[in-house]
Amino acid sequence: MRKEYIDFSTGIPVSVDFVTVEEYPLHWHNYIEILYVVKGSVFVNINAGTYELIENEIEIINVDEAHRIFSKDKDNKVLIFHIDPYFFEKYYNDIKNMFFYTNSSEEGAQENEDYDELRTFLSIVLCELVQKSDNYDEEIENTLVDLLYHLINNFHYLMHEQEELRENDEQLDRYHRISKYIYNNYNNNITLQDIADKEFLSTHYLSHEIKYSTGYSFTELINLTRVEESVKLLLDTDKPISEISEEVGFSHTRYYNKNFKFYYKTTPLNYRKKYKVDEATLEKSKKIKYYDLKDAIDFVMYYLEDYDRFNFEDKINKINIDVSEEIGPFEKNFKNIINVGNAFELLLEDNKDILEEIQYEIGFEYARLLNVFSSDMGIFPKVKFYNWSRTETVLEYLDTIGVKPLVVLDDKDVTQEEFSDVLKSFLDFFSKLEGINVNDIVFQFTQNTLEDNIKLVRIIIEEFELQIIEDRFNDELSVDPIYDTSYMLPFIIQNQLNKESKQNALRAFDVLDNQPYLTNEVFFGYPGMVNDKGIRKASFYAYYLLNKLGDTVVAKDNGYIVTKKEGEYQILLYSYNEEIINLIQLKRYSKLRGLKNSTEKKFSLNIVKIPTSARVTSYLIDEEVGSSYNYWLDMGKPVRLNKEEKEILLKAAFPKVEFKFAKKSAVLNLQAKLEGYGAVLIIIKEVQKHLK
């Protein structure tokens, strides 16, 4: 049988599966089903239509709706909610004639508050089923009642075609009566006149109203209903085609064949031959993988942040650390290069102060400079006028703070001859200039540099025995609010520890004048580590904490790394989920949802083999502590900062530092907690006893 049943009589009126679906063949069931895609994408075939659901989208399958779920995305994750319609009937007696639709066809259609509220109700149901706290069954039922009326008021099948019906109860009730009558009598010889008489309307007006409310004419609507209902008889019975045609209400088999072929692009007979199989074959064709339901919580965390019964954060992450162990060296490759942006920016004192501060706290080897050969820097290739004084000032400044120049070569808007001449002039000038070591300069091409120009430049540079970085640099500037948020802290740490991203997008500081999407003068989504007011962002502290790690890796896993150097041990903990390596595009969602939250995380560290008493210093920065962006949000997102507000942000944007003395013991236990996206670095320094 293709029809599936769940017996809800013995318990809670909802069940949930957390799955990856490759193929779930055509079926229908005695319950309402809601598909919530939390990762990847799946396709859903409902009756005669097929819809793609991408991450964070929802589809509702009504009772007895024939549907198939399939996907080529092997990493998809879907929450499937099965809801007892008889529970809903206690609160809405016409539920058997009610259908719910979501918009799965238009891009971005599910990015509004109605869908967010729907996701929240589903997340709460999932949370209660996982936690099973006191009275969880009552909480689930209360949430389902709220869900029911949210569906009726916002996902009513008639509103799917005509949104304005939301404000017209009388018209909505009429259309519902008409649709209900058609659905309950489709297999009889009903006419437009029958319905017109019941509603006291003319047939002409009624015909127009049916087309308006459903998108179909009366004849189309009744024939579509008959065809869709016939599918169940084709697949679940052995009745002849002629008998099925008569049973669903067609006056003749040829009309049935004609209409079926119009919607399904094949005849009823061929459809049956293709899809009708025995029970064993049907079960074998199901390709679906089930997961533990609690694993789904991480995917819906955002929608539970305001739910006061959500206590999943009470879970303590226990980590055992033996500091005598060694995995290998810890290479601080993240310190190789910092992106400055346009070389001209280093002629401005404020930017120089910021870079000097970054260099002091972290210490990068190279500063990547763009547009060194530009008019802003006094270079005019078209007329062969090269004034290197501004470039000299920039390079001298870099030398004073101990960072070498990495010059990005861009052949945009210049000929090959101009490109060659300006480079020769640059090298001739600086190779003869005292105080600047031209051998410290490294070059890199952009992604768009022409191959012929690259060959030419290589010849010129090799004459001076200088270095070229083989990787091409992507100089396209990405602007997105995510760069300002504390999300960048674990994102950068995870990527750098696992060498999964070079983070070419990040810059040393924000540049207000260059913003194409300027919204305010404090945080505007520029990928700087420090904003243009000198206020440190979370991305700065990612490198700040990484820089304090030792030279040897003791232990490492998702969410933490332990290192050591002589007489000192460093433990870096950070918010982690499997999506953290991805740079979320917050700009698309910022107006609706803000940053998707990460839950509070608690850690219990059991550390052994520390040979002496120790001083313990911790540096904490997360959404509650040290995040300048979150402090700015709490201020009410002021467009401009007054002097006092700027001082507050400058002082607040610093980790919470705590000190502790720990006596020598067999096991040193330390507790730590992160609020949302963040990281905490714990440094344990051995304390030797003074000789008397």
Side-chain angles (χ1 to χ4, degrees), residues 566-605:
E566 188 174 351
E568 185 179 295
Y569 314 95
Q570 306 83 25
I571 305 167
L572 180 57
L573 309 168
Y574 58 95
S575 307
Y576 176 81
N577 59 57
E578 63 180 18
E579 300 297 323
I580 205 71
I581 62 169
N582 299 319
L583 187 62
I584 297 172
Q585 290 188 339
L586 184 59
K587 185 163 53 180
R588 179 181 176 193
Y589 302 108
S590 57
K591 292 182 180 179
L592 300 175
R593 297 182 299 179
L595 180 63
K596 189 175 182 181
N597 197 20
S598 178
T599 187
E600 174 189 274
K601 290 193 175 180
K602 295 179 180 178
F603 299 88
S604 177
L605 310 174

Side-chain angles (χ1 to χ4, degrees), residues 342-357:
N342 293 334
F344 179 81
E345 301 301 335
L346 290 185
L347 296 173
L348 306 178
E349 289 301 320
D350 286 348
N351 294 338
K352 289 163 69 175
D353 290 344
I354 292 172
L355 183 58
E356 188 170 346
E357 181 184 354

Side-chain angles (χ1 to χ4, degrees), residues 161-345:
E161 291 293 332
Q162 301 299 334
E163 177 68 21
E164 58 268 29
L165 288 178
R166 187 190 298 260
E167 308 299 328
N168 192 331
D169 291 342
E170 183 178 342
Q171 198 80 325
L172 185 64
D173 287 343
R174 170 184 286 171
Y175 292 157
H176 177 60
R177 288 195 304 271
I178 293 170
S179 297
K180 181 169 71 173
Y181 182 80
I182 292 173
Y183 183 75
N184 289 325
N185 294 278
Y186 67 87
N187 52 347
N188 298 319
N189 186 26
I190 57 174
T191 66
L192 194 63
Q193 187 66 56
D194 294 335
I195 303 172
D197 291 342
K198 287 180 175 293
E199 294 295 328
F200 304 101
L201 300 171
S202 70
T203 54
H204 176 76
Y205 180 78
L206 177 61
S207 176
H208 175 270
E209 291 297 280
I210 290 175
K211 180 75 172 181
Y212 171 79
S213 63
T214 67
Y216 296 98
S217 69
F218 170 74
T219 303
E220 289 170 341
L221 183 60
I222 197 167
N223 285 339
L224 173 60
T225 304
R226 288 167 172 168
V227 164
E228 289 179 344
E229 290 301 309
S230 74
V231 167
K232 302 166 192 173
L233 297 172
L234 289 170
L235 298 184
D236 247 10
T237 74
D238 294 320
K239 294 180 179 180
I241 301 297
S242 58
E243 187 176 334
I244 292 174
S245 171
E246 182 179 357
E247 188 169 330
V248 297
F250 283 103
S251 59
H252 198 283
T253 304
R254 69 171 176 268
Y255 296 138
Y256 172 46
N257 281 320
K258 177 183 177 182
N259 280 280
F260 193 97
K261 192 170 184 178
F262 178 80
Y263 290 109
Y264 286 90
K265 312 306 178 190
T266 187
T267 65
L269 183 59
N270 286 336
Y271 187 88
R272 171 179 268 177
K273 287 179 179 178
K274 184 175 181 179
Y275 294 110
K276 192 176 190 311
V277 294
D278 57 41
E279 291 286 330
T281 304
L282 181 63
E283 285 302 314
K284 192 175 180 180
S285 65
K286 294 178 182 178
K287 297 179 181 178
I288 183 167
K289 182 178 179 180
Y290 292 85
Y291 303 97
D292 193 319
L293 205 55
K294 72 174 187 296
D295 295 338
I297 289 290
D298 281 344
F299 291 91
V300 299
M301 207 77 76
Y302 172 83
Y303 300 101
L304 294 172
E305 61 181 0
D306 295 325
Y307 185 51
D308 56 11
R309 284 175 58 89
F310 176 47
N311 61 8
F312 202 69
E313 65 270 17
D314 286 342
K315 176 184 176 182
I316 297 177
N317 298 276
K318 298 177 182 178
I319 302 174
N320 298 315
I321 302 167
D322 182 345
V323 296
S324 68
E325 295 181 353
E326 294 184 6
I327 294 178
F330 178 60
E331 298 176 357
K332 298 185 178 181
N333 295 323
F334 60 88
K335 297 177 61 170
N336 289 349
I337 300 170
I338 183 170
N339 291 325
V340 172
N342 293 334
F344 179 81
E345 301 301 335

